[in-house]
Amino acid sequence: MKKLFLVLAMSSLAVVVADAAEQDTVNRCAAIISQFQQMPEKAIPRDVLRRAKGLAIMSVVKAGFIFSAKGGQGVVIARTPRGWSGPSFIATGGGGWGLQAGAQVTDFVIVLNNDAALQAFSRGGNVTIGVDVSAAAGPVGRTAAGAVMPTAAVYTYSRSKGLFVGVSLEGAVVGTQRQSNFNYYEAPVRADSILSGVTKAPPGAAPLRRALGP
């Protein structure tokens, strides 16, 4: 019975993710960045963004009654000598068990603080937060801790609406979506080619790149 409910929940979430076209995902990630920067007391400090080697941006849906499932999609984008790269698509998913009910959509911004973190997302496989890269909750506020050097490979930020509490990315597995990259770039491109800037960013990526600033 537990397995049946989990399969049904995961199937529903898969439909939500599958229905999100690649350009819609890019546009949503641009909106997420803008929304984070419109919360002065919770904004990602400018110095943190200025030092970032890259960002992973995702919306994750978590839903369930007793049995739970979560799934989400987003992009990784990297800083290159010529500005921000094009987006490489990522997704996460999983299930759980416990006394919980409700639904929640959480927006995540993962700041990649060093080259090792960027390389982990450039391999084209899976990255486990807290295992493959060390993670810490990022400082917030336009000036708070902005001058402090990063203490972890990635900083995580989240913004939630719903009934679940205690949102965390620790242990989450984030995987490159090769088919989405193929669809968006209309060619079989690798994540490292996108994030290094070798593969040119499509015009549709312009709003996201502008939202990130220089």
Side-chain angles (χ1 to χ4, degrees):
M1 181 64 70
K2 172 183 173 181
K3 184 175 180 180
L4 174 60
F5 274 99
L6 183 57
V7 168
L8 291 173
M10 288 299 293
S11 298
S12 298
L13 288 170
V15 170
V16 171
V17 173
D19 282 345
E22 285 77 17
Q23 187 59 54
D24 291 340
T25 298
V26 173
N27 294 343
R28 186 170 66 250
C29 289
I32 289 170
I33 290 296
S34 297
Q35 290 161 6
F36 266 90
Q37 294 309 95
Q38 290 169 9
M39 301 183 296
E41 74 287 355
K42 296 293 184 180
I44 303 172
R46 290 189 181 94
D47 284 352
V48 170
L49 288 176
R50 197 173 293 122
R51 291 194 182 105
K53 300 294 184 179
L55 298 171
I57 310 159
M58 294 189 300
S59 278
V60 176
V61 180
K62 184 176 182 181
F65 178 72
I66 307 301
F67 307 98
S68 68
K70 62 183 178 181
Q73 191 173 35
V75 303
V76 181
I77 191 166
R79 193 186 299 278
T80 78
R82 297 173 298 281
W84 291 101
S85 71
S88 176
F89 290 84
I90 54 175
T92 187
W97 162 260
L99 295 177
Q100 51 193 356
Q104 179 188 60
V105 177
T106 304
D107 297 329
F108 288 99
V109 175
I110 307 170
V111 179
L112 312 183
N113 288 321
N114 56 36
D115 291 329
L118 178 58
Q119 289 166 7
F121 280 89
S122 299
R123 289 195 300 257
N126 294 334
V127 179
T128 303
I129 306 299
V131 176
D132 296 319
V133 292
S134 61
V140 297
R142 298 201 182 279
T143 58
V148 177
M149 293 301 291
T151 58
V154 304
Y155 281 151
T156 61
Y157 296 84
S158 63
R159 178 176 179 271
S160 305
K161 290 183 179 180
L163 301 180
F164 286 111
V165 295
V167 177
S168 173
L169 272 180
E170 192 75 18
V173 178
V174 181
T176 298
Q177 298 297 287
R178 294 185 180 90
Q179 185 61 49
S180 292
N181 282 342
F182 179 91
N183 294 344
Y184 196 61
Y185 291 89
E186 300 181 338
V189 294
R190 299 198 314 260
D192 59 351
S193 177
I194 296 169
L195 297 177
S196 66
V198 171
T199 298
K200 185 178 179 181
L208 174 58
R209 299 168 79 200
R210 282 197 302 269
L212 293 170

